Amino acid sequence: MDKAAIVQKVLKSTSKEPQNRTGTFFAPSNIALCKYWGKRNAELNLPVTASLSVSLGHYGAKTTLSFAEAGFQDDIVVNGKQMNINSDSAFVLNLTAYLNLFRPTPTTRFCVETETNVPIGAGLASSACGYAALIGAMDQLYGWQLPLQTLSLLARLGSGSASRSFWQGFVEWQTGTAEDGIDSVGVSLPQMWPDLRIGLLILNPASKRISSRKAMEITKATSPFYSAWPQKHAHDLARLKKAISLYNFVELGEASESNALAMHAMMLTAYPPIVYTEAKTIDAMHKIWDARQAGLPLYFTQDAGPNLKLLFLKKDKETVQALFSKLIIIAPFENGILN
Ligand code: PMV
Protein backbone atom coordinates (compact mmCIF):
# COMPACT_ATOMS: atom_id res chain seq x y z
CA MET A 1 0.00 0.00 0.00
CA ASP A 2 1.31 3.45 -0.76
CA LYS A 3 0.59 6.77 0.95
CA ALA A 4 -2.11 7.74 -1.54
CA ALA A 5 -4.00 4.48 -0.90
CA ILE A 6 -3.89 5.06 2.87
CA VAL A 7 -5.13 8.63 2.49
CA GLN A 8 -7.97 7.42 0.27
CA LYS A 9 -8.92 4.75 2.78
CA VAL A 10 -8.90 7.17 5.72
CA LEU A 11 -10.85 9.90 3.90
CA LYS A 12 -13.34 7.50 2.25
CA SER A 13 -16.40 8.87 3.96
CA THR A 14 -15.38 12.52 4.28
CA SER A 15 -16.47 15.39 2.13
CA LYS A 16 -14.30 16.10 -0.90
CA GLU A 17 -15.55 19.67 -1.01
CA PRO A 18 -13.78 22.13 1.28
CA GLN A 19 -16.16 23.40 3.94
CA ASN A 20 -14.11 26.50 4.78
CA ARG A 21 -11.98 29.07 3.03
CA THR A 22 -9.08 28.59 5.41
CA GLY A 23 -8.02 26.18 8.11
CA THR A 24 -5.71 26.95 11.04
CA PHE A 25 -4.11 24.60 13.55
CA PHE A 26 -1.39 24.76 16.20
CA ALA A 27 0.75 21.72 17.02
CA PRO A 28 3.44 21.58 19.71
CA SER A 29 6.92 20.33 19.03
CA ASN A 30 7.97 17.18 20.87
CA ILE A 31 11.16 15.63 22.21
CA ALA A 32 11.46 11.85 22.26
CA LEU A 33 12.68 10.35 25.52
CA CYS A 34 12.60 6.89 23.92
CA LYS A 35 13.51 7.34 20.28
CA TYR A 36 12.06 6.31 16.97
CA TRP A 37 15.03 5.09 14.95
CA GLY A 38 14.36 2.78 12.02
CA LYS A 39 11.34 1.98 9.88
CA ARG A 40 9.69 -1.31 9.15
CA ASN A 41 7.99 0.35 6.18
CA ALA A 42 9.78 3.35 4.67
CA GLU A 43 6.89 4.43 2.43
CA LEU A 44 4.44 4.69 5.32
CA ASN A 45 6.95 5.74 8.02
CA LEU A 46 6.04 2.73 10.13
CA PRO A 47 8.48 2.34 13.01
CA VAL A 48 10.37 -0.74 14.13
CA THR A 49 9.75 0.26 17.75
CA ALA A 50 7.30 2.41 19.67
CA SER A 51 8.56 5.77 20.94
CA LEU A 52 7.65 8.10 23.79
CA SER A 53 7.91 11.87 23.82
CA VAL A 54 7.06 14.92 25.81
CA SER A 55 5.46 17.86 24.03
CA LEU A 56 6.81 21.37 24.38
CA GLY A 57 3.77 23.42 25.38
CA HIS A 58 3.47 26.59 23.37
CA TYR A 59 6.65 25.90 21.38
CA GLY A 60 5.48 24.59 18.04
CA ALA A 61 4.00 25.57 14.70
CA LYS A 62 0.77 27.28 13.71
CA THR A 63 -0.27 26.75 10.12
CA THR A 64 -2.96 28.44 8.07
CA LEU A 65 -3.97 26.70 4.90
CA SER A 66 -6.03 27.98 1.99
CA PHE A 67 -6.28 27.44 -1.75
CA ALA A 68 -4.01 29.33 -4.12
CA GLU A 69 -4.96 30.07 -7.72
CA ALA A 70 -5.40 26.76 -9.57
CA GLY A 71 -2.67 25.69 -11.93
CA PHE A 72 -0.02 27.95 -10.48
CA GLN A 73 2.41 26.89 -7.81
CA ASP A 74 1.89 26.14 -4.16
CA ASP A 75 2.66 29.15 -2.05
CA ILE A 76 4.72 28.27 1.02
CA VAL A 77 5.57 30.93 3.59
CA VAL A 78 7.48 30.13 6.79
CA ASN A 79 7.78 32.87 9.42
CA GLY A 80 6.93 35.48 6.79
CA LYS A 81 9.56 34.19 4.36
CA GLN A 82 8.45 32.94 0.94
CA MET A 83 10.02 29.56 0.14
CA ASN A 84 11.34 28.94 -3.35
CA ILE A 85 8.97 26.27 -4.57
CA ASN A 86 11.30 25.36 -7.45
CA SER A 87 14.19 24.60 -5.14
CA ASP A 88 15.24 20.99 -4.91
CA SER A 89 15.65 21.16 -1.12
CA ALA A 90 14.38 18.13 0.78
CA PHE A 91 12.06 20.48 2.70
CA VAL A 92 10.21 21.66 -0.42
CA LEU A 93 10.24 18.28 -2.19
CA ASN A 94 8.87 16.42 0.84
CA LEU A 95 6.25 19.07 1.57
CA THR A 96 5.02 19.23 -2.03
CA ALA A 97 4.84 15.44 -2.24
CA TYR A 98 2.77 15.46 0.96
CA LEU A 99 0.41 18.15 -0.38
CA ASN A 100 -0.06 16.03 -3.52
CA LEU A 101 -1.88 13.50 -1.34
CA PHE A 102 -4.62 16.02 -0.56
CA ARG A 103 -5.32 17.85 -3.83
CA PRO A 104 -8.94 17.36 -4.92
CA THR A 105 -7.86 17.90 -8.54
CA PRO A 106 -4.35 17.72 -10.00
CA THR A 107 -4.37 21.49 -10.60
CA THR A 108 -5.39 22.46 -7.05
CA ARG A 109 -2.71 24.57 -5.40
CA PHE A 110 -2.35 25.33 -1.70
CA CYS A 111 -1.22 28.37 0.18
CA VAL A 112 0.60 27.24 3.36
CA GLU A 113 1.53 29.88 5.93
CA THR A 114 3.43 28.63 8.95
CA GLU A 115 4.54 30.57 11.99
CA THR A 116 6.88 28.75 14.30
CA ASN A 117 8.32 29.91 17.60
CA VAL A 118 10.63 26.93 17.88
CA PRO A 119 14.12 28.34 18.56
CA ILE A 120 15.95 28.22 15.25
CA GLY A 121 18.66 25.59 15.05
CA ALA A 122 17.69 23.91 18.28
CA GLY A 123 17.14 20.61 16.51
CA LEU A 124 13.59 20.70 17.74
CA ALA A 125 12.04 18.36 15.23
CA SER A 126 10.41 21.20 13.31
CA SER A 127 9.13 18.59 10.87
CA ALA A 128 7.13 17.05 13.72
CA CYS A 129 5.14 20.15 14.63
CA GLY A 130 5.18 21.27 10.97
CA TYR A 131 3.40 18.21 9.54
CA ALA A 132 1.08 17.97 12.51
CA ALA A 133 0.03 21.62 12.12
CA LEU A 134 -0.37 21.16 8.37
CA ILE A 135 -2.68 18.17 8.54
CA GLY A 136 -4.62 19.81 11.39
CA ALA A 137 -5.13 22.86 9.18
CA MET A 138 -6.13 20.57 6.28
CA ASP A 139 -8.77 18.98 8.54
CA GLN A 140 -10.15 22.44 9.32
CA LEU A 141 -10.09 23.55 5.68
CA TYR A 142 -12.04 20.51 4.47
CA GLY A 143 -14.14 20.27 7.62
CA TRP A 144 -13.36 16.55 8.01
CA GLN A 145 -13.49 16.70 11.83
CA LEU A 146 -11.26 13.66 12.09
CA PRO A 147 -10.27 12.37 15.55
CA LEU A 148 -6.75 13.34 16.66
CA GLN A 149 -5.57 9.76 16.28
CA THR A 150 -6.54 9.77 12.62
CA LEU A 151 -4.72 13.08 12.16
CA SER A 152 -1.75 11.45 13.90
CA LEU A 153 -1.81 8.66 11.30
CA LEU A 154 -1.97 11.14 8.42
CA ALA A 155 0.80 13.33 9.89
CA ARG A 156 3.02 10.23 10.18
CA LEU A 157 2.96 9.95 6.39
CA GLY A 158 4.79 13.31 6.31
CA SER A 159 7.17 12.74 9.24
CA GLY A 160 7.16 9.89 11.74
CA SER A 161 7.68 12.03 14.82
CA ALA A 162 4.73 14.24 13.76
CA SER A 163 2.40 11.44 14.88
CA ARG A 164 3.22 12.47 18.49
CA SER A 165 2.54 16.21 18.08
CA PHE A 166 -1.25 16.27 18.62
CA TRP A 167 -1.24 16.22 22.39
CA GLN A 168 0.54 18.01 25.19
CA GLY A 169 2.38 16.03 27.85
CA PHE A 170 3.68 12.51 27.35
CA VAL A 171 2.73 10.76 24.13
CA GLU A 172 3.48 7.24 23.01
CA TRP A 173 3.58 6.50 19.32
CA GLN A 174 2.55 2.88 19.19
CA THR A 175 4.26 0.54 16.75
CA GLY A 176 1.04 -1.11 15.65
CA THR A 177 0.80 -4.45 13.91
CA ALA A 178 -1.42 -3.71 10.89
CA GLU A 179 0.39 -3.84 7.58
CA ASP A 180 -1.20 -0.59 6.45
CA GLY A 181 -0.23 1.11 9.73
CA ILE A 182 -3.79 2.00 10.67
CA ASP A 183 -2.93 1.28 14.34
CA SER A 184 0.45 3.01 14.36
CA VAL A 185 -0.67 6.26 15.99
CA GLY A 186 0.03 8.53 18.92
CA VAL A 187 -1.64 7.89 22.29
CA SER A 188 -1.62 10.49 25.03
CA LEU A 189 -0.53 9.37 28.51
CA PRO A 190 -2.63 10.70 31.41
CA GLN A 191 0.22 11.67 33.77
CA MET A 192 1.08 15.32 34.26
CA TRP A 193 4.44 16.27 35.72
CA PRO A 194 4.37 20.03 36.43
CA ASP A 195 7.88 20.08 37.92
CA LEU A 196 9.55 18.55 34.87
CA ARG A 197 11.83 20.90 32.94
CA ILE A 198 13.46 20.57 29.53
CA GLY A 199 16.50 22.68 28.72
CA LEU A 200 17.48 23.31 25.12
CA LEU A 201 21.24 23.48 24.88
CA ILE A 202 22.07 24.82 21.45
CA LEU A 203 25.71 24.00 20.77
CA ASN A 204 25.72 24.38 17.01
CA PRO A 205 22.73 25.94 15.25
CA ALA A 206 23.81 24.82 11.75
CA SER A 207 21.47 22.42 10.00
CA LYS A 208 22.22 18.73 10.26
CA ARG A 209 24.74 17.05 8.00
CA ILE A 210 22.47 14.16 7.16
CA SER A 211 18.69 13.90 7.44
CA SER A 212 17.24 11.60 10.07
CA ARG A 213 15.39 9.86 7.26
CA LYS A 214 18.64 8.89 5.52
CA ALA A 215 20.53 8.26 8.76
CA MET A 216 17.89 5.80 9.99
CA GLU A 217 17.99 3.93 6.73
CA ILE A 218 21.80 3.57 6.81
CA THR A 219 21.80 2.55 10.49
CA LYS A 220 19.16 -0.11 9.99
CA ALA A 221 20.83 -1.47 6.87
CA THR A 222 24.43 -1.54 8.07
CA SER A 223 24.89 -1.35 11.85
CA PRO A 224 25.72 -4.78 13.28
CA PHE A 225 24.02 -3.63 16.47
CA TYR A 226 20.69 -2.67 14.94
CA SER A 227 19.34 -6.18 15.63
CA ALA A 228 19.84 -5.52 19.36
CA TRP A 229 17.99 -2.17 19.26
CA PRO A 230 14.38 -3.42 19.61
CA GLN A 231 15.23 -5.34 22.77
CA LYS A 232 17.24 -2.50 24.33
CA HIS A 233 14.49 -0.09 23.32
CA ALA A 234 11.70 -2.23 24.82
CA HIS A 235 13.63 -2.31 28.10
CA ASP A 236 14.08 1.50 28.10
CA LEU A 237 10.46 2.12 27.18
CA ALA A 238 9.11 -0.10 29.96
CA ARG A 239 11.46 1.61 32.44
CA LEU A 240 10.43 5.05 31.25
CA LYS A 241 6.71 4.31 31.45
CA LYS A 242 7.14 2.97 34.97
CA ALA A 243 9.19 6.05 35.91
CA ILE A 244 6.41 8.30 34.59
CA SER A 245 3.69 6.41 36.43
CA LEU A 246 5.68 6.67 39.70
CA TYR A 247 7.05 10.19 39.05
CA ASN A 248 10.53 8.78 39.57
CA PHE A 249 12.76 11.41 37.99
CA VAL A 250 16.08 9.56 38.31
CA GLU A 251 14.62 6.55 36.48
CA LEU A 252 13.16 8.83 33.79
CA GLY A 253 16.52 10.55 33.32
CA GLU A 254 18.57 7.36 33.25
CA ALA A 255 16.25 5.56 30.82
CA SER A 256 16.09 8.59 28.48
CA GLU A 257 19.83 9.27 28.47
CA SER A 258 20.72 5.63 27.99
CA ASN A 259 18.26 5.32 25.10
CA ALA A 260 19.73 8.34 23.28
CA LEU A 261 23.31 7.15 23.80
CA ALA A 262 22.45 3.70 22.47
CA MET A 263 20.91 5.27 19.36
CA HIS A 264 24.06 7.30 18.72
CA ALA A 265 26.31 4.31 19.46
CA MET A 266 24.49 2.35 16.76
CA MET A 267 25.04 5.17 14.31
CA LEU A 268 28.79 5.11 14.98
CA THR A 269 28.84 1.49 13.90
CA ALA A 270 26.89 2.10 10.69
CA TYR A 271 28.60 2.42 7.34
CA PRO A 272 29.22 5.08 6.34
CA PRO A 273 29.38 6.08 10.00
CA ILE A 274 26.96 8.76 11.18
CA VAL A 275 28.28 11.16 13.79
CA TYR A 276 26.01 13.97 14.93
CA THR A 277 27.99 14.44 18.13
CA GLU A 278 30.56 17.25 18.12
CA ALA A 279 33.38 18.18 20.49
CA LYS A 280 31.09 20.70 22.19
CA THR A 281 28.49 17.97 22.68
CA ILE A 282 31.01 15.74 24.46
CA ASP A 283 32.17 18.64 26.64
CA ALA A 284 28.58 19.33 27.66
CA MET A 285 28.00 15.64 28.42
CA HIS A 286 31.02 15.62 30.75
CA LYS A 287 29.77 18.74 32.46
CA ILE A 288 26.39 17.05 33.02
CA TRP A 289 27.99 13.83 34.30
CA ASP A 290 30.29 15.79 36.63
CA ALA A 291 27.35 17.75 38.01
CA ARG A 292 25.46 14.51 38.51
CA GLN A 293 28.43 12.98 40.30
CA ALA A 294 28.27 15.99 42.60
CA GLY A 295 24.60 15.25 43.37
CA LEU A 296 22.58 17.22 40.80
CA PRO A 297 19.82 15.15 39.15
CA LEU A 298 20.51 16.31 35.58
CA TYR A 299 20.23 14.17 32.46
CA PHE A 300 20.18 14.70 28.71
CA THR A 301 18.80 13.34 25.52
CA GLN A 302 20.14 13.94 22.01
CA ASP A 303 18.44 13.72 18.64
CA ALA A 304 19.76 13.79 15.11
CA GLY A 305 22.08 16.72 15.72
CA PRO A 306 24.84 17.99 18.03
CA ASN A 307 22.54 19.83 20.47
CA LEU A 308 21.39 18.40 23.78
CA LYS A 309 18.05 18.55 25.53
CA LEU A 310 18.50 18.58 29.30
CA LEU A 311 16.09 16.96 31.73
CA PHE A 312 15.79 18.25 35.28
CA LEU A 313 13.30 19.36 37.92
CA LYS A 314 11.96 22.81 38.73
CA LYS A 315 13.80 22.92 42.09
CA ASP A 316 17.16 22.74 40.27
CA LYS A 317 16.40 25.37 37.66
CA GLU A 318 18.79 28.04 39.03
CA THR A 319 21.67 25.58 39.46
CA VAL A 320 21.25 24.22 35.94
CA GLN A 321 20.91 27.70 34.46
CA ALA A 322 24.14 28.71 36.24
CA LEU A 323 25.92 25.73 34.67
CA PHE A 324 24.61 26.49 31.16
CA SER A 325 23.93 30.20 30.95
CA LYS A 326 22.37 30.14 27.47
CA LEU A 327 19.98 27.29 28.23
CA ILE A 328 16.40 27.80 27.00
CA ILE A 329 14.17 26.34 29.68
CA ILE A 330 10.76 24.89 28.91
CA ALA A 331 8.12 23.90 31.44
CA PRO A 332 6.12 21.40 29.37
CA PHE A 333 3.28 20.94 31.85
CA GLU A 334 2.81 24.46 33.15
CA ASN A 335 -0.19 26.73 32.56
CA GLY A 336 -2.57 23.76 32.46
CA ILE A 337 -1.59 23.02 28.89
CA LEU A 338 -2.31 19.30 29.01
CA ASN A 339 -5.27 18.85 26.68
O1 PMV B 1 10.39 11.91 12.30
P1 PMV B 1 11.77 12.21 11.87
O2 PMV B 1 12.05 11.62 10.53
O3 PMV B 1 12.11 13.66 11.98
O4 PMV B 1 12.79 11.44 12.88
C1 PMV B 1 12.92 11.75 14.23
C2 PMV B 1 14.13 11.12 14.78
C3 PMV B 1 14.51 11.49 16.21
O5 PMV B 1 14.18 12.83 16.49
C4 PMV B 1 16.03 11.34 16.38
C5 PMV B 1 13.86 10.56 17.22
C6 PMV B 1 12.42 10.81 17.56
O6 PMV B 1 11.76 9.85 17.98
O7 PMV B 1 11.93 11.96 17.46
Side-chain angles (χ1 to χ4, degrees):
M1 247 189 179
D2 64 5
K3 286 180 183 162
I6 300 290
V7 169
Q8 243 182 24
K9 182 174 173 180
V10 169
L11 299 179
K12 199 168 61 244
S13 50
T14 58
S15 145
K16 303 284 169 287
E17 287 304 312
Q19 305 295 304
N20 298 302
R21 289 168 67 94
T22 65
T24 299
F25 194 85
F26 169 81
S29 194
N30 74 76
I31 300 282
L33 302 179
C34 254
K35 312 291 185 190
Y36 148 56
W37 201 254
K39 309 179 193 208
R40 68 172 193 278
N41 178 327
E43 163 73 9
L44 303 178
N45 287 339
L46 291 175
V48 170
T49 65
S51 54
L52 198 153
S53 61
V54 60
S55 289
L56 297 187
H58 67 273
Y59 282 108
K62 183 175 166 190
T63 291
T64 299
L65 191 66
S66 55
F67 292 105
E69 212 173 317
F72 288 90
Q73 294 174 317
D74 292 317
D75 196 13
I76 301 172
V77 180
V78 179
N79 285 348
K81 193 173 152 228
Q82 187 88 34
M83 305 307 283
N84 176 5
I85 202 78
N86 298 316
S87 109
D88 58 0
S89 73
F91 172 84
V92 167
L93 294 176
N94 292 339
L95 185 54
T96 312
Y98 188 72
L99 290 172
N100 288 346
L101 299 169
F102 303 98
R103 299 185 204 277
T105 72
T107 55
T108 304
R109 294 293 173 264
F110 290 106
C111 179
V112 183
E113 284 177 84
T114 296
E115 288 293 328
T116 171
N117 56 2
V118 162
I120 305 293
L124 269 190
S126 49
S127 67
C129 56
Y131 279 97
L134 177 58
I135 197 64
M138 193 76 79
D139 179 71
Q140 299 280 327
L141 179 67
Y142 282 100
W144 294 327
Q145 298 186 315
L146 294 171
L148 290 181
Q149 266 171 353
T150 309
L151 293 182
S152 162
L153 182 165
L154 292 175
R156 164 172 50 76
L157 302 177
S159 167
S161 50
S163 64
R164 301 185 304 242
S165 269
F166 291 90
W167 301 267
Q168 295 289 357
F170 296 113
V171 179
E172 180 178 356
W173 168 16
Q174 298 186 333
T175 331
T177 52
E179 209 179 320
D180 63 4
I182 221 81
D183 54 355
S184 183
V185 294
V187 175
S188 161
L189 271 59
Q191 291 87 359
M192 289 185 79
W193 199 330
D195 283 356
L196 188 69
R197 293 292 176 271
I198 310 249
L200 305 179
L201 188 60
I202 305 175
L203 298 161
N204 180 353
S207 58
K208 45 185 143 189
R209 290 164 198 260
I210 173 169
S211 69
S212 44
R213 200 173 286 225
K214 191 85 202 137
M216 271 183 213
E217 198 182 300
I218 296 173
T219 313
K220 183 166 180 261
T222 68
S223 167
F225 299 131
Y226 193 79
S227 57
W229 173 245
Q231 205 186 344
K232 155 74 180 153
H233 194 280
H235 173 80
D236 292 342
L237 187 61
R239 195 176 170 197
L240 187 61
K241 283 166 94 168
K242 189 166 174 211
I244 292 171
S245 69
L246 298 173
Y247 299 97
N248 183 334
F249 178 70
V250 169
E251 280 289 312
L252 175 133
E254 282 182 10
S256 304
E257 191 174 294
S258 170
N259 187 262
L261 286 169
M263 178 180 83
H264 285 274
M266 256 189 327
M267 284 190 242
L268 276 178
T269 62
Y271 198 84
I274 300 154
V275 187
Y276 287 114
T277 303
E278 295 181 5
K280 285 183 198 165
T281 320
I282 301 273
D283 286 346
M285 286 179 185
H286 281 293
K287 209 162 152 182
I288 292 164
W289 291 326
D290 287 349
R292 209 151 76 210
Q293 192 74 25
L296 182 69
L298 175 64
Y299 298 83
F300 67 83
T301 183
Q302 181 188 1
D303 291 300
N307 304 315
L308 295 181
K309 284 95 187 199
L310 274 42
L311 303 167
F312 53 98
L313 292 173
K314 184 180 177 182
K315 67 177 175 59
D316 296 316
K317 183 177 167 222
E318 270 74 40
T319 317
V320 176
Q321 186 87 71
L323 272 178
F324 298 100
S325 60
K326 293 195 178 125
L327 199 68
I328 301 167
I329 298 179
I330 296 176
F333 292 89
E334 272 199 349
N335 308 322
I337 51 170
L338 190 67
N339 59 26

